[in-house]
Amino acid sequence: MIAGWGNLAVPGRERLSEQLERASAEAVLCRGLGRSYGDSSLPPAGHPEVLGTRLADRIVAFDQESGRIRAEAGLSLFELNRLFLRRGWFVPVTPGTQFVTLGGMVAADVHGKNHHVEGCFGSDHVLGLKMRLASGELVECGPEREPELFTATCGGMGLLGHVLEVEFELRRIPSPWIASESRRIGGIDQFLEALKDASARYPYVVGWIDCLSRGPSMGRGILDAGRWATAEEAAGRALPTTRRLTFPMMLPSWALGRPSVRAFNTAYYWKHAQQLRRGLRHPDSFFYPLDMILHWNRMYGRRGFTQYQCVIPAAAGAEGVRRFLELLSSKGGASFLAVIKDCGAESRGILSFPLPGISIALDIAVRDDTQALVDTLNEALITMGGRIYLAKDAFTRAAHFRAMEPRLERFLAARARFDPARRIRSAQSVRLLGDRP
Amino acid sequence: MRVTILGGTHGMGRALARRLAERGDQVFLLGIEPEELARSAADLQARSPTQAAVGAALCDLADPSTFAPALAAAAAALGEIECVIVTAAIFATQEAMEADVTRAEALLRLDFTNTVVFCEHARGLLLGRGGGTLCVFSSVAGDRGRKPVILYGAAKAGLSAYLEGLDHKFHAQGLRVVCVKPGFVKTGMTAGLRPPPFAGEPEAVARQVARAIDRGTPVVYTPGIWRWVMLAIRWLPRFVMRKIGF
Ligand SMILES: Cc1cc2nc3c(=O)[nH]c(=O)nc-3n(C[C@H](O)[C@H](O)[C@H](O)COP(=O)(O)OP(=O)(O)OC[C@H]3O[C@@H](n4cnc5c(N)ncnc54)[C@H](O)[C@@H]3O)c2cc1C
Ligand SMILES: NC(=O)c1ccc[n+]([C@@H]2O[C@H](COP(=O)([O-])OP(=O)(O)OC[C@H]3O[C@@H](n4cnc5c(N)ncnc54)[C@H](OP(=O)(O)O)[C@@H]3O)[C@@H](O)[C@H]2O)c1
């Protein structure tokens, strides 16, 4: 059996290889560190083996002057940070976990807390990709070279071809510390205002809101903003190594019922005692708070969980966000804090997720009614012109996906050109695009 | 430390070479594929705190005539060699080798005879400069004859015995012999097999082995728990070993 981060398993296995060039010729799909929540890294039923890339992790070239780096697709962001953060370099875009591979970051065209200024990792920052196409051909593509292949690959969830190498530029950072500011905010309207305000002042902004509170405190939460600390602010303080705990076992499913989640959310909100807190923070705690506990996904038990992440377009306004939260709490989507972000401009990646507006992401433990809940949320989303994030999805129906993706035709045209037989496919593409299992 | 490593392109050798390069040791790679050597050298260079260039030379465990020139190239590039590491080896399943005795012969030759011959060259070199460390990857498979790894285990048993003898004879002359006995580790070598409990990761192995090299620990089980697993297996009576599949 093999599963994504949400622990929803299907029959299958991962075959690891250090040599992607050799191993990719026959592969039906690549899988990095399996941090996508749903079924995007899972094999179709008819070909139950995916190519595990995480051992293919060599740095091919690094230029100390420009920060330009080329590496094999299985290199993890954790490793990159371990090697380069203390040397004064950082990736231009990071997702909320560092246990991802470069290949996975390109395939999902990941966004970070700085989306409003830097866009997505793949389409806005990658300079070149070496790929193995379904035909067996090896090609090099980038923003200028084979742009159709490139833009379909960034955000294309591994379906256009296997990424073997990724080239991009690391950024110089003035110190390895983050100067951050976090605020407690009492309700959704103020929250959206504060997001806007912080986004104008800081490159990194994200919020956590409590989806269980209702009435005037609906959408209360904590807003976190930050930037790299200057050398003077950091004053030469060395960055300590982070110690991590491991979640030891699967919890029983009842453990995460509404009462315990409500208690957690309330505690999280009030733990933030002052209204405003400023200071230097370790980048691990600022960017990757969830990575502190390895295997935290076991908390959701054997039935697993899914993440619902969508973007509500700016046009739907604060009203749209409020309606969405009301719908959520009326349907009882009991969740720990939801992550809320302000997204910037749409990227070139044909299926890249972000869109100007508000992104909301929440974890949902799988129950009998999860499909119905996701359907309801998707229907509301479609009327607002929003879309979901494929890297998190496990439940969206093909018809709903078509309705929220006017860009799908363009993506399918690119796929028809590079893989007419749709040989490269995943459990997700079977579900959403009707590929043969 | 100035170190040369045969097998540093992949698996545990790759992880170990990285660990050493990252802490500033000077590394020289030996292996069979020029392209793989060049890629690994670039990877190690990017990881080195000083961006020190990493050299490489061809050395084929299947061809002992390559051993002396390869070690000479390493010595020339590094100035002198303080530590020689051998992780290179091949693996084949017991079934595959029972079905085809030429495969059995190839494995026995590479993993035992030629590995020992390579170590003899390295020993000469290290003793010639007054000592140094010889770190060689054997296996827990050599600790007891077991059904799934009879031939591979026999080669590794021979290798472990050789390394132990070296330690006894040359310790006083400054030769530090480190015999590494990995249990199951998730590398390319084991990619087709189902990982048992206590399967290890190459990075953790590298950490443990680097420490053993620094201290001159003669025998290292890695992950550490395999010391106790093998202790138990060595004590199992023969009638039990005949019954179980392990
Ligand atoms: C705690 C947590 C926080 C997260 N936060 C964010 C966030 O803030 N922003 C964000 O954008 N995402 C976020 N994610 C999602 C995550 O960044 C993406 O799912 C990412 O793709 C995972 O990378 P991976 O290496 O684990 O890929 P996998 O999950 O293994 O695979 C994901 C997709 O990439 C494809 N793929 C992987 N490697 C290759 C390759 N070499 N060639 C072609 N296709 C390939 C797979 O086929 C699959 O479709 C988060 C996930 C977690 C668990
Ligand atoms: N993995 C395990 O579970 C395990 C368990 C017990 C013991 N071991 C032992 O630990 C050591 C390392 O194993 P590993 O899993 O890291 O192996 P690996 O990933 O297969 O790496 C083996 C290395 O040996 C090199 N090599 C193979 N044939 C060679 C030859 N003829 N000449 C020169 N180099 C050659 C390979 O280079 P190329 O790829 O370029 O050919 C590769 O760099 C081996 O001695 C193995 O027997 C492993």
Side-chain angles (χ1 to χ4, degrees), chain B residues 31-84:
Chain B
I32 29 180
E33 289 182 45
E35 156 103 2
E36 288 298 313
L37 289 169
R39 285 177 83 90
S40 281
D43 178 59
L44 295 175
Q45 178 173 0
R47 288 161 183 271
S48 139
T50 56
Q51 305 282 293
V54 171
L58 293 179
C59 181
D60 184 353
L61 207 43
D63 177 6
S65 75
T66 62
F67 298 170
L71 284 167
L78 294 172
E80 62 172 347
I81 302 178
E82 293 162 281
C83 174
V84 177

Side-chain angles (χ1 to χ4, degrees), chain A residues 8-9 34 61 68 153 173 175 178-179 205 213 246 270 360 389 405 434:
Chain A
L8 307 172
R68 196 168 173 122
T153 299
I173 48 175
S175 83
I178 292 287
V205 178
S213 55
T246 298
W270 290 113
I360 295 181
Y389 189 12
E405 270 305 351

Side-chain angles (χ1 to χ4, degrees), chain B residues 126-214:
Chain B
L126 293 170
L127 288 173
R129 65 173 285 276
T133 305
L134 176 63
C135 170
V136 183
F137 279 54
S138 182
S139 172
V140 295
D143 275 15
R144 185 153 196 204
R146 288 187 292 117
K147 290 176 185 173
V149 285
I150 300 173
L151 289 156
Y152 173 77
K156 293 295 194 182
L159 181 59
S160 299
Y162 163 75
L163 294 168
E164 180 172 2
L166 277 192
D167 172 64
H168 295 168
K169 179 158 180 193
F170 296 106
H171 189 269
Q173 295 174 41
L175 187 69
R176 296 289 168 267
V177 179
V178 177
C179 172
V180 181
K181 296 183 176 180
F184 190 103
V185 180
K186 293 182 216 159
T187 66
M189 185 178 272
T190 54
L193 311 173
R194 172 194 279 280
F198 317 124
E201 298 285 343
E203 292 72 29
V205 171
R207 195 174 330 123
Q208 224 181 323
V209 174
R211 200 179 327 121
I213 289 174
D214 293 342

Side-chain angles (χ1 to χ4, degrees), chain A residues 38-369:
Chain A
D39 50 6
S40 44
S41 72
L42 306 185
H47 192 302
E49 186 173 278
V50 291
L51 168 57
T53 63
R54 66 186 169 83
L55 296 181
D57 63 348
R58 282 185 289 200
I59 296 169
V60 178
F62 174 62
D63 176 8
Q64 323 189 55
E65 297 306 316
S66 62
R68 196 168 173 122
I69 186 167
R70 189 177 183 92
E72 293 171 350
L75 182 67
S76 71
L77 180 53
F78 174 79
E79 191 72 355
L80 266 180
N81 287 343
R82 187 179 68 76
L83 291 168
F84 290 102
L85 191 62
R86 287 174 180 76
R87 279 155 68 178
W89 299 101
F90 194 67
V91 281
V93 169
T94 174
T97 171
Q98 52 183 335
F99 300 120
V100 293
T101 62
L102 290 178
M105 288 169 70
V106 170
D109 207 12
V110 297
H111 58 275
K113 298 179 181 193
N114 59 355
H115 185 266
H116 57 289
V117 283
E118 293 288 355
C120 294
F121 177 75
S123 38
D124 296 306
H125 296 281
V126 164
L127 300 169
L129 296 173
K130 180 175 178 183
M131 296 190 60
R132 162 85 67 187
L133 301 182
S135 62
E137 200 187 336
L138 285 172
V139 293
E140 181 71 31
C141 72
E144 256 93 62
R145 196 159 160 190
E146 287 288 357
E148 188 184 20
L149 176 61
F150 179 72
T151 49
T153 299
C154 295
M157 306 313 291
L159 300 177
L160 262 286
H162 308 307
V163 176
L164 310 184
E165 288 175 14
V166 181
E167 182 163 338
F168 62 99
E169 262 178 22
L170 291 168
R171 290 283 173 77
R172 268 273 171 224
I173 48 175
S175 83
W177 291 92
I178 292 287
S180 85
E181 153 183 325
S182 64
R183 263 169 212 285
R184 199 178 69 202
I185 293 167
I188 190 64
D189 290 330
Q190 302 101 288
F191 210 104
L192 295 176
E193 279 306 310
L195 265 179
K196 249 200 186 53
D197 168 63
S199 300
R201 292 184 296 123
Y202 283 97
Y204 298 111
V205 178
V206 74
W208 285 269
I209 55 173
D210 174 2
C211 298
L212 289 180
S213 55
R214 293 188 189 204
S217 68
M218 183 180 80
R220 68 177 179 183
I222 313 289
L223 182 78
D224 240 3
R227 58 172 170 77
W228 292 101
T230 62
E232 295 78 58
E233 288 169 320
R237 266 213 277 165
L239 206 60
T241 313
T242 303
R243 301 188 65 91
R244 297 187 169 77
L245 302 171
T246 298
F247 205 86
M249 54 177 185
M250 290 280 189
L251 274 194
S253 308
W254 52 260
L256 286 190
R258 227 175 147 86
S260 35
V261 174
R262 188 186 297 277
F264 174 88
N265 285 1
T266 306
Y268 191 86
Y269 181 73
W270 290 113
K271 185 188 91 165
H272 201 276
Q274 313 100 314
Q275 275 253 287
L276 176 65
R277 210 190 279 171
R278 283 208 172 94
L280 284 193
R281 275 174 61 189
H282 195 298
D284 282 352
S285 105
F286 183 76
F287 291 116
Y288 316 115
L290 290 168
D291 288 352
M292 297 295 171
I293 300 175
L294 303 174
H295 297 294
W296 61 263
N297 55 343
R298 290 176 180 162
M299 180 172 78
Y300 285 93
R302 295 197 185 282
R303 280 196 80 177
F305 69 112
T306 184
Q307 183 171 94
Y308 189 84
Q309 180 169 7
C310 65
V311 54
I312 298 171
E319 180 51 32
V321 177
R322 196 172 324 105
R323 275 215 320 274
F324 186 82
L325 290 181
E326 274 160 10
L327 181 65
L328 195 63
S329 64
S330 73
K331 292 289 166 195
S335 171
F336 283 102
L337 312 159
V339 178
I340 182 165
K341 275 193 271 234
D342 200 3
C343 289
E346 193 169 77
S347 295
R348 300 172 57 195
I350 302 182
L351 284 188
S352 283
F353 163 69
L355 177 79
I358 296 291
S359 152
I360 295 181
L362 57 135
D363 293 348
I364 300 175
V366 170
R367 305 266 184 270
D368 295 336
D369 62 355

Side-chain angles (χ1 to χ4, degrees), chain A residues 375-422:
Chain A
D375 288 346
T376 311
L377 297 177
N378 278 340
E379 279 153 17
L381 189 64
I382 290 166
T383 63
M384 294 190 283
R387 61 167 84 119
I388 53 135
Y389 189 12
L390 290 176
K392 311 289 177 76
D393 183 56
F395 286 92
T396 293
R397 294 179 191 276
H400 284 157
F401 183 63
R402 272 196 305 277
M404 61 180 76
E405 270 305 351
R407 306 173 299 176
L408 188 56
E409 287 310 313
R410 255 178 77 213
F411 180 76
L412 292 178
R415 199 168 173 221
R417 181 175 152 211
F418 294 103
D419 184 5
R422 297 189 175 192

